[in-house]
Amino acid sequence: MTKMPYQCSVCNEVHHDWPAIAFNSPHYYHILSQEDKDKLATLSEDWCIIDYGDQTDRFIRAILRLPVIDTDQTLEYGVWVSVSEKNFVHYMDNFNEDIEGTTFFGYLCNQISEYDNTLSLKTNVVCGSKGQRPEVFPHKDQDNAFVHDCIYGITQEEADKRVHVLLN
């Protein structure tokens, strides 16, 4: 591995593994004006709600692991998925409980820069053990380069390149 050490912006520790490529918010929050963010939206580290009045969108933060070919490593993305009101309420009601294995449908709500279009890809969201963010798995029946890479992986060289861009 050609992983380079980096100082984590969260814990200030120096790490020698790949950092997660994380999004601070769902795309649909990010594109709101500051006025609309203040008026319509609530954002935390783990969830987001945008209430347009006639429609409410609900998002949760999750992890998507992209396999790296010929290694036992993954490149992690911290992504947001939109979920139904029913699933959002269940997730929030059980946020501090162990609901490992609970699975529900969601749409990916971030644009991964290396791909043409990752917004609104269909996914399964699988809850982890207590205190862990859920993991996202794109549905395999979608004709999309990102979905292909989620199934078959990317090269170590490509993973290093993505991390290098992130760190610089």
Side-chain angles (χ1 to χ4, degrees):
M1 297 261 142
T2 58
K3 295 179 182 179
M4 61 190 96
Y6 68 95
Q7 184 170 5
C8 179
S9 63
V10 175
C11 69
N12 289 321
E13 298 283 327
V14 174
H15 298 279
H16 296 277
D17 55 352
W18 285 315
I21 298 172
F23 294 89
N24 293 328
S25 65
H27 171 77
Y28 303 102
Y29 176 88
H30 180 74
I31 63 173
L32 292 174
S33 68
Q34 187 58 52
E35 179 183 350
D36 283 345
K37 287 177 184 175
D38 294 340
K39 183 171 55 170
L40 304 175
T42 305
L43 175 68
S44 80
E45 289 186 8
D46 295 299
W47 56 270
C48 178
I49 298 174
I50 304 174
D51 186 352
Y52 298 98
D54 61 338
Q55 172 186 324
T56 302
D57 295 334
R58 295 163 183 85
F59 309 90
I60 60 173
R61 197 170 196 173
I63 297 169
L64 191 148
R65 291 181 172 89
L66 198 59
V68 179
I69 299 168
D70 296 330
T71 74
D72 60 353
Q73 302 296 309
T74 59
L75 182 61
E76 291 186 4
Y77 283 85
V79 297
W80 293 80
V81 290
S82 66
V83 296
S84 70
E85 178 181 9
K86 175 185 173 188
N87 289 330
F88 183 83
V89 168
H90 177 74
Y91 179 75
M92 295 300 289
D93 285 350
N94 295 285
F95 190 74
N96 292 314
E97 303 299 322
D98 189 0
I99 56 172
E100 184 172 2
T102 300
T103 302
F104 45 89
F105 178 83
Y107 289 103
L108 186 63
C109 290
N110 293 110
Q111 177 56 49
I112 310 295
S113 62
E114 293 82 9
Y115 300 93
D116 286 337
N117 188 15
T118 58
L119 286 174
S120 299
L121 289 174
K122 296 179 280 184
T123 69
N124 284 338
V125 180
V126 180
C127 296
S129 58
K130 183 177 178 178
Q132 300 292 317
R133 287 199 170 116
E135 190 165 355
V136 175
F137 299 92
H139 289 193
K140 295 179 180 183
D141 62 348
Q142 301 171 94
D143 185 21
N144 182 282
F146 182 67
V147 173
H148 178 273
D149 286 352
C150 287
I151 297 167
Y152 299 106
I154 61 172
T155 65
Q156 181 180 326
E157 181 181 349
E158 178 62 24
D160 287 339
K161 181 178 121 186
R162 292 179 189 189
V163 169
H164 182 74
V165 168
L166 172 71
L167 295 177
N168 295 302

